[in-house]
Amino acid sequence: MPVPRVPRRREPLQDIAGPGRKRVLLASPRGYCAGVDRAVIAVEKALERFGAPVYVRKQIVHNIHVVTELEKQGAIFVEEVDEVPEGAHVVFSAHGVSPAVVNAASDRGLRAIDATCPLVTKVHREAVRFARDDFEILLIGHEGHEEVEGTAGEAPEHVTVVNSPDEADTIEVRDPSKVVWLSQTTLSVDETMETVRRLRARFPQLQDPPSDDICYATQNRQVAIKKVAKDADLVIVVGSANSSNSVRLVEVALEHGAKAAYRVDYADEVEQAWLEGVETVGVTSGASVPEVLVQQVLDDLAAAGYRDVEQVRTAEEDLMFSLPKELRQDAAGKRDDRALGGRSRS
Ligand code: 0CM
Ligand code: SF4
């Protein structure tokens, strides 16, 4: 899978803001969630257990650095299961897969390891249940995102994707008395609520999901960046361009008072010009981002005079998931049910 390259700053950041208070507000929680940690460890364990290469359908999580590091260890990222040699191991990414993909892998005799985040699987189950009860499912999410393809694929004839609040004004349904909304796990909470408000204005009997589909990690990172953004001249979000939750953090920061906000994959993409006249820099990272990348941004900011770092903590996270079931037995046949946490890893 090709890794996009971006132009990089050649010189280290300079201390240009002059005297005055320079500080960093570091949002917390940020970075790895429990589902990402589990998915990355699943690939590492599969490599350890079965040896390289291990195939992964799509990016295991939407982060260039993570993908590049796993490639170095022997993972091969493919777009579809028909690129995987028959009989080989294939890991399904954290974003989930449709039953059609599961069947294609099985028809090919692949040994699948399902690293779908359990919180994505929960939404799949909701889709199956509402489809069985003959509901029309309005799936709020971004068309083309892997998670949306996977969830919609559980009941394609029952699902309509709603991409934005504006689409809520024009979407048509068969029977307005039997409609439910579900969502992608990594959306903006505020924008999703606006979409729901506009859907409900048109379909008053619209049912809510049984529990929040936008996951705890997405919500917590948005709450933290809102608190940081109101005091920030500049917000830097570490995360990849195809990471929905990371991109949402930039938007949320701008909506909540940040004077400017940018997303970077790596510290050397931070531009000197962004720091002009800036006293307070907010920093955060998406749920698929290893902490080492944030640390590099902090190191570069320190070199530019932003050495005073204050954590802004709005929640504690301790959710953990156990490994995918296909990896729970060690080579000697012993079960490994240890739970994994949302640790920050390099
Ligand atoms: O869904 P998104 O694009 O935000 O994915 P990600 O890999 O950046 O983050 C973790 C997840 C999931 C599902
Ligand atoms: Fe799971 Fe949420 Fe992390 Fe996605 S962002 S992997 S849904 S915990």
Side-chain angles (χ1 to χ4, degrees), residues 194-236:
E194 172 62 10
T195 306
V196 172
R197 189 188 66 72
R198 284 157 73 165
L199 285 172
R200 186 157 282 126
R202 298 186 57 220
F203 315 119
Q205 294 182 65
L206 179 71
Q207 282 204 23
D208 293 323
S211 60
D212 281 357
D213 287 343
I214 299 182
C215 76
Y216 80 99
T218 302
Q219 296 196 30
N220 286 347
R221 280 149 193 70
Q222 288 174 19
V223 170
I225 200 59
K226 283 180 188 177
K227 190 156 184 208
V228 164
K230 67 181 174 47
D231 298 319
D233 302 309
L234 164 70
V235 164
I236 298 171

Side-chain angles (χ1 to χ4, degrees), residues 33-36 61 94-95 117-120 147 185-186 213 215-218 245 287 319 321:
C33 60
V36 163
V61 298
H95 315 97
C117 176
L119 300 182
V120 173
E147 184 186 326
T185 56
T186 50
D213 287 343
C215 76
Y216 80 99
T218 302
N245 78 90
L319 185 66
F321 296 129

Side-chain angles (χ1 to χ4, degrees), residues 254-276:
L254 289 170
E255 282 156 14
H256 285 265
K259 295 198 184 89
Y262 300 99
R263 179 201 58 76
V264 296
D265 267 301
Y266 290 103
D268 58 7
E269 292 160 30
V270 175
E271 292 179 22
Q272 185 73 59
W274 299 351
L275 300 177
E276 260 166 51

Side-chain angles (χ1 to χ4, degrees), residues 36-52:
V36 163
D37 199 32
R38 171 183 188 262
V40 175
I41 292 177
V43 178
E44 291 171 343
K45 285 258 180 214
L47 283 162
E48 201 179 290
R49 180 92 45 92
F50 310 118

Side-chain angles (χ1 to χ4, degrees), residues 31 33 66 83 98 111 159 162 195 215 250 268 274 280 295 299 342:
C33 60
V66 170
E83 296 164 54
S98 66
R111 287 179 282 178
V159 173
V162 184
T195 306
C215 76
V250 175
D268 58 7
W274 299 351
T280 303
Q295 199 50 57
D299 291 348

Side-chain angles (χ1 to χ4, degrees), residues 35 63 83 94 167 230 244:
N63 186 267
E83 296 164 54
E167 268 195 27
K230 67 181 174 47
S244 167

Side-chain angles (χ1 to χ4, degrees), residues 3 5 12 19 39 87 118 165 171 173 197 208 267 280 282 296 311 327 344:
V3 175
R5 297 267 164 230
I171 218 102
V173 301
R197 189 188 66 72
D208 293 323
T280 303
Q296 286 165 0
Q311 292 256 4
L327 291 168
S344 296

